[in-house]
């Protein structure tokens, strides 16, 4: 295992310490490193809390800040955070408007966030609502999920709902909007290599020199099929085909396109995939109104990428363009 | 070779097309893709032009925009751009204030930018001055360089000089400031894996399962020595030791710290390295006034990172904090 780490058991804590120090203008670290929270909270605003296993950075801690999350609860690598983390985070960031949990659809996360919500309600900590993301069209059921997996589309939900929260919308409205954005968002990924979880010390899966995993999950879970490595255009065609067949947009529809690297993919390849995906959108008479390219929802050092399409209207784009100030996404301020 | 590409000969052009489309609000692509330029130019401002071999993205095209570069000339992967690219770029972005070339110290780049400057002057295109960056402390002479190599510190020069240019400083002042910033900036890198140039189709070098290249260059050039893989703290100690011994800062000095991933390194590891580097700075009573962590000056999908330290004063920090609006670095607007 080749990693820039010290003792395996300290990877998360040392990384969180580095993150909090590097972005001390934006975030602070909660007690016992249970959560990362926004340095300045806005009185009465609904607080957005997300989290999940680590190893997907910058998701979620990198999206804590103005216009996105109020707190993120990091679990160990590819392991759900525990309910006490969510309770502590909710307590720290609720300023009276209630708390919205944004949770990727994996059994462990869904269960632990639900327990956290229940505990927070029982303890009178905060009123909590939950949005579960399940944007991955690759498979209907997976290693860690009942139903579709929540993957890169989660950051689009976090961003749009985060912008709406800054405008003062209430908890019910944000819950409804989050579910709506999730329902209009689809993703699919491909892996060219595996990743290695530090505590495991060996690759999560193995791929032959000429193989790729089409429809891979963000923990290296199996996708639709293992196939021979193909050209970028063919890969983009299969992923965009699955996404667009599922979304079934009308010609002329505006979309937001996210080309997401899994951690080990050069920017050159991501922009090349962006070019391929945009040509497919144009061929279907769809307008890429906004395009985000980068490694935002990763699987440690896995090589590969995912494509995400969200159907958007002018009102969504207006929210997208509002100021955002997080470690990983920043504009307008 | 596992890459998200189509035909090898189209990697650069397809990637540039995707980049220009994704960031159409910031950049446009010059004729024959000779350069990427800022969409809106500022009359009379000194124009900053950089460039070099591709494969280091987001450097340089990702730094074109307000507060950094006016144009970037991309060569093929790890290959210098040609002088006609620099002439065309200078012609496109000069608005009367002259042009400053920022060039990493590699023989091909230095020669081609010098020829470009001469041609631009002869043709009456623009008055050109040049800053050469050579921040890599690892080796005094390398595969492609006479003297030290220009590596990740180049982006700090581009940023600080870019901010100063927005304030209206003249060409001579910016040339002088750029050389000054370069002289106060040192970097060193480590590679855990090689990268593969698409046209070569095989890894640039090979490393054993338990080996790393200490002091590696950003094209996979040899560094100081090939050694057994070590813990992050030991790696950080060697790199920071070399950097700080060379810079010899006084206690209490403010520094800018850049923890730069080479393309295949997870964010978790970069933040862990950031944490390690910051402890070393604190131990030497140096203040990390700003800290930037991410994959900014890459070597395709190479795993590893570099550390860069710039000695800075309040005036530099004030420039650093000015608005910047590029594909890869953005704040304040």
């Amino acid at each position: 295992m080749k990693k820039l780490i010290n003792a395996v058991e300290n990877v998360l804590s040392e990384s969180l310490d580095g993150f909090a120090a590097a972005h001390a203008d934006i975030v602070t670290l909660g007690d016992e490193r249970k959560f990362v929270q926004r340095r300045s909270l806005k009185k009465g605003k609904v607080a957005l809390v997300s989290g999940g296993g680590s190893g997907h950075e910058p998701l979620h801690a990198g999206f804590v800040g103005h216009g996105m999350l109020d707190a993120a609860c990091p679990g160990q690598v590819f392991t759900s955070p525990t309910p006490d983390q969510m309770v502590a985070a909710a307590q720290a960031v609720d300023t009276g408007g209630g708390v919205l949990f944004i949770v990727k659809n994996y059994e462990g996360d869904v269960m632990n966030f639900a327990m956290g919500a229940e505990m927070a309600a029982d303890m009178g900590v905060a009123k909590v609502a939950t949005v579960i993301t399940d944007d991955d069209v690759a498979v209907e059921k997976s290693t860690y999920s009942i139903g579709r997996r929540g993957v890169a589309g989660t950051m689009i939900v976090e961003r749009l709902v985060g912008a709406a929260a800054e405008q003062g919308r209430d908890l019910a409205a944000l819950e409804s909007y989050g579910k709506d954005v999730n329902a209009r968002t689809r993703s699919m990924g491909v892996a060219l290599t595996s990743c290695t979880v530090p505590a495991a010390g060996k690759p999560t899966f193995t791929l032959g020199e000429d193989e790729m995993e089409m429809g891979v999950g963000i923990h290296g879970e199996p996708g639709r099929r293992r196939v021979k490595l193909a050209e970028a255009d063919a890969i983009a065609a299969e992923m965009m085909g699955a996404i667009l067949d599922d979304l079934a947009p009308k010609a002329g529809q505006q979309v937001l396109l996210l080309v997401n690297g899994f951690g080990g993919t050069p920017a050159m390849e991501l922009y090349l995939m962006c070019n391929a995906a945009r040509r497919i959108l144009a061929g279907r008479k769809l307008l890429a109104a906004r395009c985000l390219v980068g490694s935002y929802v990763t699987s440690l050092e896995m090589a590969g990428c995912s494509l995400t399409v969200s159907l958007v209207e002018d009102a969504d784009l207006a929210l997208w363009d509002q100021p955002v100030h997080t470690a990983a996404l920043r504009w307008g301020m």
Side-chain angles (χ1 to χ4, degrees), chain A:
Chain A
M1 175 173 60
K2 285 189 149 180
K3 290 185 183 289
L4 296 165
I5 60 175
N6 295 303
V8 164
E9 60 272 25
N10 298 330
V11 171
L12 179 57
S13 58
E14 292 178 31
S15 180
L16 284 171
D17 287 353
F19 178 82
H23 304 292
D25 54 328
I26 304 175
V27 301
T28 59
L29 203 49
D31 277 348
E32 300 170 50
R33 302 186 186 90
K34 281 186 177 174
F35 56 90
V36 171
Q37 78 156 79
R38 214 190 269 209
R39 182 167 282 280
S40 54
L41 302 172
K42 197 168 166 182
K43 184 88 186 151
K45 186 187 85 72
V46 173
L48 270 54
V49 175
S50 190
S54 294
H56 305 302
E57 289 71 21
L59 185 85
H60 297 273
F63 299 136
V64 171
H66 181 93
M68 285 187 87
L69 303 175
D70 292 84
C73 303
Q76 290 294 325
V77 173
F78 295 175
T79 303
S80 173
T82 50
D84 63 303
Q85 291 180 259
M86 284 65 110
V87 174
Q91 191 154 32
V93 298
D94 181 36
T95 59
V99 177
L100 185 67
F101 285 172
I102 300 177
V103 185
K104 299 190 300 300
N105 188 36
Y106 298 99
E107 287 182 81
D109 290 311
V110 170
M111 184 181 71
N112 287 333
F113 271 92
M115 282 179 62
E118 203 175 312
M119 286 161 65
D122 288 353
M123 293 161 64
V125 165
K127 194 178 167 194
V128 177
T130 301
V131 171
I132 292 175
T133 61
D134 60 352
D135 53 307
D136 190 344
V137 296
V139 291
E140 289 299 328
K141 194 174 184 320
S142 180
T143 317
Y144 309 112
S145 75
I146 298 168
R148 290 180 171 183
R149 302 173 295 218
V151 292
T154 307
M155 76 168 286
I156 294 173
V157 174
E158 292 179 355
R159 167 57 186 144
L160 289 177
V161 178
E166 299 293 342
Q167 297 190 336
R169 293 196 207 172
D170 68 19
L171 185 58
L174 293 173
E175 178 187 5
S176 164
Y177 182 54
K179 289 176 177 174
D180 175 35
V181 172
N182 175 63
R184 294 186 267 134
T185 298
R186 296 288 186 282
S187 304
M188 188 160 151
V190 65
L192 305 190
T193 67
S194 178
C195 54
T196 296
V197 175
K202 59 181 189 356
T204 303
F205 60 106
T206 50
L207 278 172
E209 266 310 301
D210 59 346
E211 284 181 328
M212 60 182 183
E213 181 73 29
M214 178 58 76
V216 72
I218 57 171
H219 310 91
E221 308 97 300
R224 291 187 169 187
R225 52 206 181 87
R226 184 159 298 188
V227 286
K228 291 275 177 207
L229 190 64
E231 290 199 338
D233 282 347
I235 294 171
E238 177 161 355
M239 298 202 290
M240 291 296 279
I243 288 167
L244 295 175
D245 289 352
D246 205 73
L247 282 172
K250 291 194 182 120
Q253 169 71 50
Q254 296 185 100
V255 307
L256 195 155
L257 172 67
L258 166 62
V259 180
N260 174 61
F262 281 144
T265 314
M268 277 193 93
E269 295 178 33
L270 296 181
Y271 281 112
L272 191 149
M273 286 297 290
C274 172
N275 189 49
R278 288 179 69 100
R279 277 194 268 111
I280 293 164
L281 288 173
R284 296 223 190 184
K285 301 199 181 345
L286 300 170
L287 176 68
R290 298 291 182 280
C291 194
L292 191 65
V293 182
S295 294
Y296 292 108
V297 179
T298 63
S299 307
L300 296 166
E301 72 282 4
M302 192 159 85
C305 76
S306 61
L307 300 175
T308 298
V309 174
S310 285
L311 308 184
V312 288
E313 304 301 332
D314 289 346
D316 304 307
L317 293 172
L319 286 171
W320 182 261
D321 293 339
Q322 290 298 305
V324 58
H325 186 184
T326 69
L329 207 65
R330 185 166 172 181
W331 55 70
M333 64 193 293

